[in-house]
């Protein structure tokens, strides 16, 4: 939820306050380019940048807990793969922070390196999740697990299927300098964000098997 609010809020704020500035790139501006990229939306202008960074920070604890919960669910059935999934997920979260808090306006190279690392880590992360996500010993509704695995395959296919046209239109913009190419690139870039958030949100099916409680210690109970 917080991730969706962060991206959508930054987009609304950016279009409301700095529309002509965030749709402009190195070669063209409005009307040839008319939709902002993710990088321009979240990193170029105040207050959209600050709004995004505050709300995306709120997702960090939940994102880290996501990896912990997956490890708890899967460690008995597939200990080695569960550990790999945890560390890949942790590194993926760390690189996400890299391209979120070091924007293209701050340092273009660092931003791009972190973004590429994030994309590379997403491949084993999604494939591992598809491979072992239904192996939990705590969940017995096999039909529900199978249906969710199918959804993950679809979302994973959409995510990586988006990369080819994304790269194509980026080359059209950067190398051939075709007007409007960056706007088309921006739509594919936003689609990656949607598919990424959608993939992790599917975990709510498996997490129904978890029950987490915070209780006072026995000593405190006796004193009361």
């Amino acid at each position: 939820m917080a991730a969706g609010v962060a991206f959508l809020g930054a987009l609304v704020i950016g279009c409301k306050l700095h529309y002509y500035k965030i749709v402009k790139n190195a070669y063209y501006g409005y009307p040839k380019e008319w939709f902002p990229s993710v990088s321009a939306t979240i990193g170029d202008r105040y207050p959209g940048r600050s709004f995004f960074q505050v709300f995306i920070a709120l997702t960090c604890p939940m994102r880290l807990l996501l990896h912990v919960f997956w490890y708890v669910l899967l460690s008995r059935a597939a200990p080695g793969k569960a550990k790999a999934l945890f560390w890949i997920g942790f590194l993926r979260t760390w690189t996400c922070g890299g391209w979120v808090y070091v924007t293209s306006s701050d340092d273009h190279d660092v931003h791009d390196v972190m973004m590429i690392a994030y994309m590379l880590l997403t491949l084993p992360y999604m494939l591992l999740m598809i491979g072992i996500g239904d192996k939990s010993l705590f969940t017995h509704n096999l039909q529900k697990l199978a249906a969710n695995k199918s959804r993950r395959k679809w979302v994973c296919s959409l995510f990586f299927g988006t990369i080819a046209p994304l790269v194509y239109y980026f080359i059209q913009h950067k190398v051939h300098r075709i007007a409007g190419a960056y706007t088309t690139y921006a739509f594919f870039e936003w689609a990656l964000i949607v598919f990424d958030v959608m993939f992790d949100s599917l975990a709510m099916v498996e997490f129904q098997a978890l029950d987490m409680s915070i209780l006072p210690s026995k000593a405190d109970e006796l004193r009361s």
Side-chain angles (χ1 to χ4, degrees):
M1 178 65 75
V5 171
F7 282 103
L8 185 60
L11 179 62
V12 171
I13 292 170
C15 288
K16 184 71 174 178
L17 300 179
H18 312 289
Y19 175 73
Y20 294 104
K21 292 178 180 178
I22 62 175
V23 299
K24 185 179 180 181
N25 55 58
Y27 310 118
Y28 302 101
Y30 182 86
K32 291 181 178 179
E33 305 287 3
W34 54 272
F35 195 76
S37 67
V38 173
S39 297
T41 300
I42 69 173
D44 283 359
R45 302 285 169 178
Y46 172 86
R49 169 178 173 162
S50 300
F51 177 91
F52 174 79
Q53 290 184 345
V54 167
F55 273 87
I56 210 68
L58 296 176
T59 69
C60 186
M62 294 300 104
R63 189 122 183 194
L64 294 174
L65 281 175
L66 176 80
H67 307 318
V68 172
F69 290 163
W70 271 120
Y71 182 76
V72 171
L73 280 175
L74 301 171
S75 58
R76 290 188 184 180
K81 290 182 178 180
K83 189 176 293 185
L85 181 64
F86 174 83
W87 285 112
I88 290 171
F90 178 84
L91 288 173
R92 187 168 170 266
T93 300
W94 182 77
T95 56
C96 177
W99 60 262
V100 163
Y101 292 101
V102 181
T103 68
S104 56
S105 301
D106 299 328
D107 191 316
H108 205 283
D109 292 338
V110 172
H111 178 81
D112 285 351
V113 167
M114 288 295 186
M115 178 73 80
I116 292 169
Y118 181 85
M119 297 287 287
L120 292 174
L121 287 167
T122 297
L123 177 59
Y125 176 79
M126 287 189 172
L127 292 179
L128 270 172
M129 190 73 75
I130 291 169
I132 65 173
D134 60 342
K135 299 295 191 292
S136 170
L137 300 179
F138 300 98
T139 307
H140 303 292
N141 192 332
L142 298 181
Q143 186 176 2
K144 188 180 289 188
L145 291 179
N148 212 36
K149 184 173 186 175
S150 179
R151 294 188 199 102
R152 281 200 178 89
K153 288 179 179 179
W154 275 107
V155 176
C156 180
S157 298
L158 289 169
F159 184 93
F160 289 103
T162 302
I163 293 176
L166 178 89
V167 172
Y168 172 78
Y169 281 104
F170 183 78
I171 292 171
Q172 295 302 303
H173 157 72
K174 197 71 175 178
V175 178
H176 304 296
R177 300 185 182 182
I178 295 176
Y182 201 68
T183 291
T184 307
Y185 162 85
F187 280 111
F188 286 109
E189 193 178 27
W190 281 100
L192 285 178
I193 299 297
V194 172
F195 298 144
D196 192 348
V197 174
M198 191 184 300
F199 188 88
D200 279 338
S201 69
L202 292 172
M204 61 184 178
V205 172
E206 287 82 8
F207 287 0
Q208 290 174 0
L210 289 174
D211 186 13
M212 184 173 67
S213 302
I214 299 177
L215 301 171
S217 67
K218 294 295 183 181
D220 287 339
E221 285 180 351
L222 291 172
R223 279 196 294 269
S224 63

